[in-house]
Amino acid sequence: MPQTDKGDPTAPAPSIQSAPALAEAVIDMNAIVHNTRFMAEQTKAEIMAVVKADGFGHGIVETARATLSAGATWLGVTSCTEALRLRDAGVRAPVLSWMSVPDQDFTRAVGADVDIAVSAAEHLDAVADAARAVGATASVHLKVDTGLARNGSAPHLWPALVDRARALERDGAVRVRGVWSHLASADIPGDPTTGEQIALFDQAVAQARAAGLDPSLLHLANSAGILDVPESHYDLVRAGVGLYGVEPVAGKRFGLRPAMTLRARAIMVREVPVGTRVAYNHTYTTPRDGFLVLVPLGYADGVPRSAGPRGEVWIRGARRPVAGRIAMDQFVADMGGTEAHIGDEVVVFGPGDDGEPTVADWARWAGTIPHEILTGIGARVARTYSARPSSRPGHKELLSV
Ligand SMILES: *Cc1c(COP(=O)(O)O)cnc(C)c1O
């Protein structure tokens, strides 16, 4: 007989595993599949799914698999550590890793067939050394800066970089598979720098070809470029935030579907009189008799403290204001006169279909961009995966997990 006697301290805690989590980020795989397909339909180029930063907070391996199933052929990450995490999970698709220091160990990445982005001679030599050490040819993508002034070779150093790369190609240490750059302002329609960057990129490609390189993959566009700047597409496009359902172009909506719903359970409900002062420093006073709900999520979980004064959550079919300061692990929502119960679902943000707040709302309330909210959702929040039926009529099921 199962030990369910409350008095037995050795009895296993009943159904802890199956109990709904305090809080979770539910990732709608159908949304990611839809967004990947939608972006693929906008271009003849191949799609690189950018799954850096744990898939923008959605889970690197799960996101990689979903996007590859939906037509992406490449994966993009910032570090060899992220790339090897994909390889260790059995993901065999081409992966490009684009941030490194020359004295790091590239041998595992080169041995695992990870393409390495190179912006300077120091990195190029280090990758070539690693290739010789493992007896392989390293596949590199030379990056030129066309106007972001971040990574990428400065244009005046580019001719020397491509010459050096060509020499290393002759040695068999590297193969230059890609030439690439990154756009600064494709999210602002009509921004003149985008055209200037495209022109500089074309010049850099011509210089690389004149040096004898024959890159098969030219790539420049991010999500905004994919959706709004067709002349930036070339052979490969790098889709990031759009995959996760954030509209990337200012003032334009493409019908991308937000993939993450952040939700929790009410862990405490109290009935309080008008004038009750709530949370640290008592910055909130209840305007009427009513119910307060305690939500087990805080800024350690990525709910931005700065959004407190404007924040809203969705409980029992309506938006409810955040009451007072968001703390590290918890915050309070004010139900007003609507009764609530311990265990009630609290949606912090979701797709917005029913009127619940979206990640874009939270970004606005916090004075930031949705990317920062999504990537900031903490490790303590469990990620769970679903293939939610679309609430849009006529939208057919894309994936079942
Ligand atoms: C993050 C990143 C992307 C993806 O950009 P989105 O605007 O999120 O689509 C593409 N390329 C590089 C180099 C990046 O760092």
Side-chain angles (χ1 to χ4, degrees):
M1 216 183 110
Q3 294 282 326
T4 53
D5 186 343
K6 282 184 195 146
D8 177 2
T10 64
S15 57
I16 287 278
Q17 295 300 331
S18 59
L22 276 186
E24 60 185 356
V26 185
I27 313 302
D28 175 6
M29 300 305 256
N30 267 332
I32 293 177
V33 166
H34 166 85
N35 298 332
T36 307
R37 288 192 180 158
F38 178 79
M39 295 176 88
E41 281 162 13
Q42 312 309 307
T43 182
K44 292 194 178 67
E46 287 188 61
I47 301 274
M48 174 186 287
V50 179
V51 296
K52 64 188 179 186
D54 200 24
F56 284 55
H58 296 65
I60 183 171
V61 174
E62 293 83 355
T63 301
R65 293 215 169 99
T67 55
L68 291 169
S69 81
T73 53
W74 274 81
L75 299 168
V77 295
T78 51
S79 66
C80 289
T81 307
E82 289 178 317
L84 291 171
R85 198 163 145 211
L86 290 166
R87 289 287 182 258
D88 289 345
V91 177
R92 306 304 328 161
V95 179
L96 175 64
S97 169
W98 55 70
M99 283 170 44
S100 61
V101 283
D103 59 356
Q104 77 182 55
D105 180 5
F106 288 101
T107 54
R108 262 202 80 201
V110 171
D113 231 348
V114 172
D115 284 40
I116 312 282
V118 162
S119 295
E122 292 91 325
H123 301 81
L124 183 60
D125 291 346
V127 173
D129 287 346
R132 287 189 201 99
V134 299
T137 299
S139 183
V140 301
H141 297 227
L142 298 182
K143 187 171 192 183
V144 60
D145 179 36
T146 55
L148 206 51
R150 299 194 322 192
N151 222 340
S153 164
H156 73 278
L157 298 173
W158 181 248
L161 184 65
V162 295
D163 283 346
R164 194 176 192 95
R166 181 65 194 127
L168 289 167
E169 267 194 347
R170 287 206 190 86
D171 289 355
V174 307
R175 175 167 66 102
V176 177
R177 172 135 67 166
V179 167
W180 69 301
S181 189
H182 194 39
L183 294 171
S185 300
D187 56 319
I188 304 170
D191 191 290
T193 59
T194 303
E196 292 162 20
Q197 287 195 268
I198 290 170
L200 283 172
F201 185 62
D202 289 338
Q203 270 179 36
V205 170
Q207 286 171 314
R209 292 213 167 104
L213 297 176
D214 185 22
S216 57
L217 292 173
L218 308 180
H219 49 112
L220 179 62
N222 58 358
S223 296
I226 295 167
L227 297 177
D228 209 41
V229 191
E231 60 277 24
S232 70
H233 289 188
Y234 298 93
D235 304 306
L236 176 69
V237 293
R238 302 185 306 273
V241 78
L243 298 175
Y244 308 99
V246 173
E247 294 286 354
V249 182
K252 295 197 183 183
R253 299 194 59 82
F254 296 90
L256 300 174
R257 291 163 55 188
M260 185 189 290
T261 294
L262 179 63
R263 66 178 188 182
R265 308 285 303 284
I267 57 166
M268 186 70 193
V269 175
R270 59 203 318 141
E271 190 172 3
V272 296
V274 63
T276 301
R277 299 186 297 166
V278 184
Y280 286 133
N281 307 140
H282 291 161
T283 59
Y284 184 88
T285 304
T286 54
R288 53 168 295 171
D289 296 351
F291 295 85
L292 297 177
V293 165
L294 184 59
V295 183
L297 282 168
Y299 56 78
D301 305 298
V303 178
R305 185 175 180 276
S306 58
R310 294 160 295 280
E312 294 172 344
V313 294
W314 184 259
I315 308 171
R316 289 187 174 255
R319 288 189 178 211
R320 319 286 180 182
V322 171
R325 293 257 199 263
I326 292 169
M328 187 182 295
D329 317 299
Q330 51 193 297
F331 66 89
V332 175
D334 189 352
M335 297 294 292
T338 305
E339 195 170 340
H341 296 282
I342 291 175
D344 277 355
E345 180 187 58
V346 180
V347 176
V348 179
F349 58 78
D353 294 340
D354 298 322
E356 75 275 20
T358 63
V359 69
D361 289 328
W362 275 92
R364 203 176 59 253
W365 295 329
T368 183
I369 55 175
H371 318 44
E372 189 178 347
I373 307 285
L374 292 174
T375 57
I377 300 303
R380 184 161 70 173
V381 179
R383 270 64 171 176
T384 58
Y385 294 89
S386 79
R388 233 163 39 93
S390 171
S391 60
R392 294 182 194 193
H395 194 99
K396 77 171 190 304
E397 245 4 81
L398 296 164
L399 179 79
S400 26
V401 288

